Amino acid sequence: MSTNESLGHTLIRADLNSPIQNKTIQDNFRIIKALEHLKKIRENSKTVTFTSHLGRPLGKDENYSLKPIAEEMSELLGEKVIFIDSIFDQHIKSNLERNPGKVFLMENIRFYQEELDNDTDFAQKVTSNFNTFILDAFGAAHRSHSSIVSFGKYINSFQGELMSNEIKNLQKLTNSPAQPYTVILGGAKISDKLQLINNLIPHVDNLLIGGGMCFTFLKIKGYNIGKSLCEDDYLSTAEVLLESKHGHKIHLPSDFGVTESIERGSRVDKNIDEFTDQDIGVDISMSTIKEFESILLKSKTVFWNGPMGIFENPNYKLGTQSITEIVSNLNAYTVVGGGDSVSAIQMFSNLSKFNHISTGGGASLKYLEGNQLPGVNIYKPLIL
Ligand code: AMP
């Protein structure tokens, strides 16, 4: 298979972390992205081995095994991916030598506490089986773990193309984005995104807020939000933001799909000033969608992270579906920041209708918060 083996045995730290239920992968977006540049790497390697985390296991836990990921990779590549059970297996080197041209996957790297502790002996031991290391796990680049910041100290190392591509695209949002620049934020918690809001708000023209996180803002504005999600610890922070000189850029929903029982799944639509004490806001509604649409249609750059409602329930999907469709058809530079927004696009539209879909939910937010991520730009880019 190899035409030039100058990289030797190559180890790639990828982010293959995917939602799995009953050993079945629910969404293979990250796996597909991790394999996108594999062909060229294989042409220059004796073998290629992937390493990745999955979830947050506490030690070795079969529920977090990467075996289902190996099966999915085998299916996508149309050939068997060889699974390496233990990173400390003494026979890894001979296994690689016996299988030239093959692709391997190692078991969950977070089964080893040394990974989380950024243990350098661990890094040296794991990488001693390989000649080249490629860091391509953008989704984990905000973690100072051994495979992110230490593996590259011991062998010839590069930054992978997926990672370089992520940075190039996210930089378009931080370096003079075309204006008007609109950010759409949703999802459950304001606490997760507060730092991002603080960092972005001076640079954006509009901040559209939906999902569960808008209710903390609406409560401090004096509305009765019933039993909607609210983080009372963040009320004063929300107030400071609304009253700041950038407060006018924040657009909050004016109407919602509401229910008295999320489990029963009923829905009525009402204005925010009509909420009863029992109401739970579960989705944005038509007037809000229209207002958000008119802002989006004028925008030249759009970043979106987080659903507008509990879109997993078909009765509460209207807002998220509508925003997905509107952003899909914009004549603007559109970037989506991982996680649930990617699932929504897969449900309601097409990934190819966006300029960039980040593989890193948390990492892309951390990057846009203005942080220097520990794993970004620490190795020279791989150019093949
Ligand atoms: P996050 O991980 O913070 O982006 O949150 C994503 C989750 O937020 C999804 O599972 C949604 O179901 C949930 N969500 C969105 N809108 C609401 C809402 N109004 N109330 C409760 N949960 C919501």
Side-chain angles (χ1 to χ4, degrees):
M1 152 110 21
S2 306
T3 51
N4 161 4
E5 296 177 348
S6 59
L7 299 179
H9 294 294
T10 299
L11 175 65
I12 304 178
R13 170 54 160 115
D15 177 8
L16 302 167
N17 187 25
S18 308
I20 295 183
Q21 256 171 27
N22 302 326
K23 303 207 160 109
T24 309
I25 292 163
Q26 307 296 306
D27 173 3
N28 63 5
F29 172 66
R30 280 191 171 145
I31 306 173
I32 291 175
K33 294 298 284 182
L35 298 178
E36 219 166 67
H37 304 288
L38 177 60
K39 187 166 174 284
K40 273 191 287 179
I41 297 170
R42 283 181 94 176
E43 284 168 1
N44 291 275
S45 303
K46 281 187 185 160
T47 59
V48 176
T49 302
F50 283 89
T51 179
S52 172
H53 70 285
L54 177 75
R56 294 180 186 177
L58 297 169
K60 192 167 164 42
D61 177 345
E62 271 302 306
N63 292 318
Y64 293 89
S65 171
L66 283 176
K67 283 176 193 146
I69 306 277
E71 280 170 32
E72 182 69 15
M73 288 170 74
S74 303
E75 185 112 323
L76 289 166
L77 293 173
E79 64 178 80
K80 189 168 169 48
V81 167
I82 304 171
F83 194 71
I84 300 174
D85 261 310
S86 168
I87 278 178
F88 295 132
D89 181 346
Q90 292 178 349
H91 307 293
I92 291 182
K93 222 172 215 159
S94 56
N95 197 357
L96 299 177
E97 290 296 342
R98 276 198 317 278
N99 290 285
K102 295 285 185 203
V103 177
F104 294 74
L105 173 64
M106 299 211 273
E107 184 55 289
N108 195 340
I109 192 145
R110 287 197 189 155
F111 282 1
Y112 304 87
Q113 185 59 36
E114 295 94 321
E115 160 71 353
L116 309 179
D117 294 343
N118 186 15
D119 184 318
T120 46
D121 290 345
F122 173 73
Q124 189 165 20
K125 213 165 182 178
V126 177
T127 53
S128 67
N129 293 308
F130 302 91
N131 308 104
T132 302
F133 174 63
I134 300 172
L135 176 59
D136 215 11
F138 180 71
H142 55 313
R143 312 258 180 227
S144 290
H145 290 170
S146 181
S147 63
I148 303 296
V149 294
S150 292
F151 274 26
K153 289 182 181 154
Y154 304 99
I155 51 176
N156 191 23
S157 295
F158 298 94
Q159 175 165 285
E161 273 190 73
L162 178 147
M163 181 98 112
S164 298
N165 202 24
E166 288 272 10
I167 297 154
K168 200 174 78 201
N169 278 287
L170 293 175
Q171 270 174 350
K172 290 190 195 166
L173 299 177
T174 51
N175 299 349
S176 323
Q179 284 176 311
Y181 175 20
T182 298
V183 170
I184 316 165
L185 291 181
K189 289 192 182 163
I190 179 181
S191 49
D192 290 347
K193 289 169 191 161
L194 214 52
Q195 194 50 41
L196 176 72
I197 296 176
N198 275 321
N199 193 275
L200 281 181
I201 205 155
H203 310 289
V204 306
D205 298 292
N206 309 290
L207 178 58
L208 315 183
I209 300 185
M213 57 187 283
C214 69
F215 293 104
T216 306
F217 289 96
L218 290 167
K219 184 169 176 181
I220 198 67
K221 279 178 76 104
Y223 290 106
N224 177 13
I225 59 164
K227 291 189 172 160
S228 307
L229 214 60
C230 181
E231 287 175 274
D232 285 330
D233 289 350
Y234 290 89
L235 284 168
S236 56
T237 322
E239 186 173 33
V240 170
L241 266 167
L242 288 170
E243 288 179 359
S244 73
K245 66 176 180 185
H246 301 295
H248 66 281
K249 299 175 180 177
I250 299 177
H251 298 262
L252 297 168
S254 55
D255 60 347
F256 291 92
V258 301
T259 185
E260 289 191 359
S261 161
I262 295 174
E263 290 71 39
R264 280 205 299 278
S266 59
R267 171 180 183 135
V268 285
D269 290 74
K270 51 171 79 171
N271 287 332
I272 179 63
D273 52 12
E274 295 167 344
F275 271 48
T276 68
D277 292 347
Q278 303 309 315
D279 280 339
I280 309 168
V282 284
D283 190 14
I284 58 171
S285 194
M286 274 328 287
S287 303
T288 304
I289 294 167
K290 288 252 170 305
E291 194 214 332
F292 284 8
E293 180 177 33
S294 73
I295 295 168
L296 288 165
L297 286 173
K298 289 183 218 130
S299 303
K300 286 279 162 274
T301 306
V302 174
F303 173 72
W304 177 26
N305 180 277
M308 297 289 101
I310 307 180
F311 73 107
E312 299 91 338
N313 180 326
N315 283 345
Y316 310 146
K317 69 176 188 182
L318 175 77
T320 306
Q321 177 162 9
S322 305
I323 295 298
T324 308
E325 287 165 0
I326 294 163
V327 180
S328 297
N329 293 311
L330 288 179
N331 183 18
Y333 179 70
T334 52
V335 178
V336 175
D340 283 308
S341 317
V342 179
S343 315
I345 294 167
Q346 283 168 323
M347 257 186 220
F348 308 127
S349 178
N350 196 315
L351 297 175
S352 66
K353 291 195 151 196
F354 294 77
N355 291 89
H356 182 63
I357 312 257
S358 178
T359 53
S364 62
L365 298 189
K366 283 263 172 279
Y367 186 85
L368 294 176
E369 277 169 21
N371 295 307
Q372 176 65 40
L373 307 191
V376 161
N377 290 340
I378 51 175
Y379 307 121
K380 54 193 175 287
L382 177 68
I383 300 166
L384 292 171

